[in-house]
Amino acid sequence: MINQTFVLTLSCPNRPGIVAAVSTRLYEVGCNILDAQQFDDLETGSFFMRVVFNPTAEARDFAFIREALAAVADRFGMAWTLRDRAERRRVMLLASKFDHCLADLIYRWRIGELAMDVVAVVSNHPRDTYAHLGFGDVPFHHLPVSRQTKLEQETQFWGLIRESGAELVVLARYMQVLSDGLAAKLNGRCINIHHSFLPGFKGAKPYHQAHERGVKLIGATAHYVTGDLDEGPIIAQDVEPISHRDTPDDLIRKGRDIERRVLARAVRNHLEDRVILNGRKTVVFTD
């Protein structure tokens, strides 16, 4: 175990002694803290912490470490996770006609930037829509959907999630709204990307609307999916300056770039256990 590294995340009502209890317990079981970040939310009275540590030669096995930390968690009423950083999460990618985010995530996965196992690509468009993208051995599933078949399609989709053991679902410009029921099942493990104009520029052609209004910034937001359309807890955002010289096509081009990098950042933060839900918000411990 000496070559393994673990990450502990926790949240609980704030009270004195939490940091001391966690660090002392890790010391007692023979572990060395490599990185620790914490946040005390004064508005809610909640405490959040992320600790990266590795066992020393004196450490006992993983089960003993987990049991020792469980005692501290029980004492403080913590919601907590403990994971071996070498374990790769199983991720399912969803896309529609626009493929720039899908292509970017596949590329970052292939070069090792995103430590995940892509278990499937799912789309409401046929495979030849992405003929220029090489998925390799990754299974592709075409699940067409209409207003009349939405429930049936989501039942198939949920079956694929369970079959593949997907731990994270990424809507990489998947242009279908998930039902409240499916969103609830995927709470905290489904990430979406959209342009930051919502709800300011609703409906079709948001970049054209923005151009007509002479905006000076465009942006993108990655968030967890909830039953409230595009209002889930935000993980990452970014913006790009716009000038009067930019055409709608320029805005679309720049928007694609922002969406790619914001979604990739959000997925990476989730994979590295840097995101902890805080009601309708998130705490994100950046590196």
Side-chain angles (χ1 to χ4, degrees):
M1 260 206 333
I2 194 169
N3 295 320
Q4 291 177 284
T5 304
F6 301 96
V7 56
L8 166 70
T9 62
L10 63 91
S11 61
C12 61
N14 190 33
R15 56 185 269 202
I18 299 172
V19 175
V22 171
S23 57
T24 298
R25 186 53 55 90
L26 286 173
Y27 169 75
E28 290 172 344
V29 298
C31 293
N32 176 52
I33 294 176
L34 303 174
D35 182 70
Q37 294 175 283
Q38 65 193 63
F39 172 65
D40 177 13
D41 188 342
L42 298 178
E43 293 180 0
T44 64
S46 298
F47 179 82
F48 304 85
M49 191 174 186
R50 177 181 186 268
V51 185
V52 180
F53 65 92
N54 64 345
T56 64
E58 294 77 27
R60 299 274 293 274
D61 59 26
F62 179 73
F64 181 81
I65 294 172
R66 174 178 283 280
E67 187 177 344
L69 289 171
V72 176
D74 289 343
R75 175 182 162 198
F76 289 94
M78 295 175 179
W80 65 295
T81 64
L82 178 63
R83 192 173 67 89
D84 186 337
R85 295 185 79 187
E87 292 179 2
R88 295 163 66 92
R89 284 197 170 94
R90 298 171 67 81
V91 179
M92 181 178 288
L93 305 177
L94 273 68
S96 292
K97 188 174 181 180
F98 299 110
D99 62 4
H100 54 285
C101 287
L102 174 63
D104 183 70
L105 292 175
I106 292 289
Y107 172 74
R108 292 176 192 265
W109 164 61
R110 279 193 170 143
I111 65 172
E113 182 179 322
L114 293 176
M116 61 185 183
D117 290 331
V118 180
V119 296
V121 174
V122 179
S123 178
N124 56 321
H125 291 268
R127 176 66 180 83
D128 57 15
T129 305
Y130 315 100
H132 55 292
L133 298 182
F135 296 144
D137 296 331
V138 176
F140 179 87
H141 302 275
H142 176 211
L143 299 182
V145 62
S146 66
R147 186 174 299 179
Q148 293 74 28
T149 63
K150 185 175 181 64
L151 180 59
E152 179 186 344
Q153 191 250 21
E154 285 198 347
T155 300
Q156 292 178 284
F157 175 40
W158 178 243
L160 287 175
I161 293 173
R162 298 182 65 181
E163 237 177 73
S164 64
E167 300 165 89
L168 176 66
V169 174
V170 181
L171 309 186
R173 288 304 302 270
Y174 179 66
M175 306 304 288
Q176 297 291 322
V177 178
L178 302 188
S179 67
D180 291 353
L182 185 55
K185 289 178 181 177
L186 294 173
N187 181 49
R189 59 189 187 107
C190 182
I191 298 175
N192 187 30
I193 183 73
H194 67 72
H195 47 80
S196 284
F197 301 131
L198 292 173
F201 295 101
K202 293 184 178 180
K205 297 187 175 180
Y207 287 107
H208 290 76
Q209 295 181 55
H211 178 67
E212 290 170 3
R213 292 289 300 277
V215 300
K216 297 299 181 277
L217 284 174
I218 62 171
T221 299
H223 64 91
Y224 287 118
V225 171
T226 66
D228 296 321
L229 182 62
D230 295 331
E231 294 186 13
I234 294 170
I235 307 169
Q237 293 180 295
D238 206 349
V239 294
E240 187 85 13
I242 295 300
S243 81
H244 59 277
R245 298 181 185 277
D246 287 309
T247 66
D249 285 344
D250 292 327
L251 269 63
I252 292 171
R253 172 178 53 81
K254 293 182 178 182
R256 282 197 298 261
D257 288 341
I258 307 171
E259 290 166 5
R260 278 192 288 252
R261 66 176 183 256
V262 170
L263 181 58
R265 188 185 312 150
V267 170
R268 178 171 172 264
N269 283 336
H270 181 96
L271 294 174
E272 295 182 355
D273 300 286
R274 296 183 179 277
V275 188
I276 305 177
L277 286 170
N278 181 19
R280 297 184 63 185
K281 301 186 291 185
T282 61
V283 173
V284 182
F285 290 117
T286 55
D287 55 2

